[in-house]
Amino acid sequence: MNQDELRLVFWELTARCNLKCCHCRAEATDNFVAGELTTDEILSVARDIRKAGDPIMILTGGEPLVRKDFFDIAKACVGMFSRVALATNGTIVDDEMARRIVEVGIQRVSVSLDGAKASTHDAFRGVPGSFDATVRGYDAMARAGASLQVNATVAKHNIDEVEELLNFVLARKAAAFHVFALVPVGCGAQISDDARLSSQQMEEFLRWLFAKSIELRDRIHIKATCAPQYYRIMREVSREKGIAMPGHGHGGAGHGAAGHGGTSGMQAMTRGCLAGSAVCFISRTGDVQPCGYLPLCVGNVRKQPFGEIWRNSEVFNALRNPAQLKGKCGTCGYRVVCEGCRARAYAATSDFMSEDPDCSYKPAPASGRPVSF
């Protein structure tokens, strides 16, 4: 991957949402928020993005399906980009909408389940009945033939349910299971530190998750998101166990994809924090950020072509240079494959290049070139 190759764009089409998630990055609302990009503006910006590269385009929100023009936007994006995905809570998806999602050409749909029990999920999502509604939407999309991914945000409230949730997901033949570490931004900043996993608990959990990814590699793609230390752990455990790294003997971009709708390339194993170096986020009003959890506006697509923002942002260029990392992240031999979570660093210190406060790793003094395999 080139240093500044655009790989993923997360596009927040709206802040409107029918749920009230306690960890929401977007601080979503059930009311219309003035200033959202219009259909014409979105299509114009999409063309600008395509000039800058051919990233995986992830249409998200809020709840993107509440936009009346969603399928017009999706159809245009499918015509421009090789891979288009949808992130939805699934609660408003019925058989007819599921059919339209598949027919328009969406290649992967992700839904979130934050517990194996309805009570756990509903408490986190803020709306009674949301677990059952999400599962109904998932099942409708499965019947329609969609390639499906389940996301789960892990914290102390649901850590004991993750394995049960994984089994639930396996039974429903999902293509992927991605576990998110909680990032303290948006509504998530109001969640008590006592509710989040400690750095050591997260370390132990990620080791378990990687073991499951190897055990189940022929059935489902499993990875951690917003936990860049996972890529260090993958390398450490692979050496300890004498196993090949995913992408180095387990199928690379097609890891876990066989039999799941030909979605190779939707789930490549790369490295840790990609904010600003391979990933960016576009808000509902056109602000461009390194990622959805790092609230640094580096430009606005209403005022400047996307490609110029992507190439010339000082923030993005800093994030593409691991040598500028500070604290223990700057001295860590894994800094190239991990980089630490820049959003957590910013939330803790207001410096996006400072060390990741949630990483328990204690690097030895740097004595050679960083690990990059």
Side-chain angles (χ1 to χ4, degrees):
M1 183 170 63
N2 296 331
Q3 186 182 40
D4 60 350
E5 179 186 355
L6 183 61
R7 182 173 175 269
L8 285 157
V9 173
F10 293 87
W11 200 336
E12 177 193 65
L13 298 182
T14 182
R16 286 169 282 165
C17 187
N18 58 322
L19 300 184
K20 304 179 187 299
C21 306
C22 64
H23 66 305
C24 182
R25 164 204 53 74
E27 298 184 272
T29 174
D30 56 2
N31 298 315
F32 178 77
V33 179
E36 289 183 356
L37 295 173
T38 66
T39 308
D40 288 344
E41 285 177 316
I42 286 172
L43 300 186
S44 177
V45 173
R47 288 189 287 271
D48 277 348
I49 295 170
R50 187 63 184 87
K51 292 175 185 177
D54 186 17
I56 299 173
M57 179 62 68
I58 301 174
L59 305 177
T60 182
E63 172 48 61
L65 291 173
V66 304
R67 282 193 66 134
K68 293 180 180 179
D69 59 355
F70 172 78
F71 287 101
D72 294 329
I73 293 168
K75 181 179 180 180
C77 286
V78 167
M80 293 183 211
F81 302 97
S82 298
R83 296 155 295 178
V84 179
L86 164 66
T88 172
N89 63 42
T91 60
I92 62 174
V93 177
D94 57 14
D95 285 318
E96 172 61 19
M97 184 174 285
R99 180 190 62 77
R100 294 184 69 190
I101 288 169
V102 172
E103 288 184 353
V104 81
I106 298 289
Q107 292 173 276
R108 171 67 57 82
V109 183
S110 69
V111 300
S112 294
L113 289 173
D114 291 309
K117 298 179 176 65
S119 57
T120 305
H121 173 89
D122 290 359
F124 205 57
R125 293 279 158 177
V127 176
S130 57
F131 179 90
D132 291 339
T134 296
V135 172
R136 285 196 299 271
Y138 177 102
D139 289 344
M141 290 184 284
R143 287 192 294 272
S147 173
L148 290 157
Q149 172 178 314
V150 173
N151 298 335
T153 297
V154 65
K156 288 182 180 177
H157 76 285
N158 65 357
I159 185 66
D160 293 333
E161 296 181 27
V162 174
E163 186 161 18
E164 184 181 353
L165 179 59
L166 172 57
N167 290 333
F168 181 88
V169 169
L170 285 167
R172 277 177 156 72
K173 301 186 185 328
F177 181 59
H178 290 189
V179 181
F180 286 65
L182 186 65
V183 181
V185 299
C187 296
Q190 308 305 315
I191 296 177
S192 168
D193 286 344
D194 292 340
R196 297 166 57 201
L197 298 180
S198 70
S199 58
Q200 188 56 47
Q201 287 173 318
M202 181 58 72
E203 185 89 4
E204 293 170 0
F205 171 75
L206 292 175
R207 283 181 167 262
W208 173 85
L209 190 70
F210 181 55
K212 284 293 180 182
S213 78
I214 297 300
E215 174 190 343
L216 299 169
R217 62 184 177 268
D218 294 326
R219 298 178 62 189
I220 191 170
H221 177 260
I222 297 174
K223 72 182 283 288
T225 299
C226 297
Q229 66 267 45
Y230 185 65
Y231 292 83
R232 164 181 56 80
I233 289 168
M234 289 168 61
R235 286 157 175 80
E236 290 177 335
V237 174
S238 294
R239 285 196 296 268
E240 291 168 8
K241 305 295 185 182
I243 56 178
M245 273 281 297
H248 297 269
H250 289 318
H255 177 65
H260 293 297
T263 55
S264 179
M266 295 298 291
Q267 49 203 34
M269 303 298 284
T270 54
R271 56 184 176 85
C273 187
L274 297 170
S277 60
V279 168
C280 77
F281 171 88
I282 303 174
S283 82
R284 59 191 178 272
T285 59
D287 287 342
V288 179
Q289 301 173 197
C291 80
Y293 297 105
L294 183 47
L296 289 172
C297 176
V298 302
N300 187 287
V301 293
R302 280 177 162 148
K303 302 174 181 177
Q304 188 178 6
F306 174 85
E308 290 182 10
I309 298 171
W310 178 252
R311 290 188 300 271
N312 301 328
S313 163
E314 292 182 6
V315 171
F316 284 0
N317 284 316
L319 289 165
R320 293 165 188 165
N321 184 3
Q324 293 190 33
L325 292 169
K326 302 174 184 176
K328 69 178 183 180
C329 285
T331 62
C332 182
Y334 289 98
R335 62 187 176 274
V336 171
V337 297
C338 173
E339 286 204 33
C341 178
R342 299 299 94 220
R344 289 192 190 89
Y346 183 77
T349 68
S350 298
D351 181 351
F352 63 90
M353 296 303 285
S354 66
E355 67 182 49
D356 182 344
D358 282 9
C359 179
S360 66
Y361 185 63
K362 295 179 175 58
S367 59
R369 62 190 179 92
V371 177
S372 59
F373 58 90

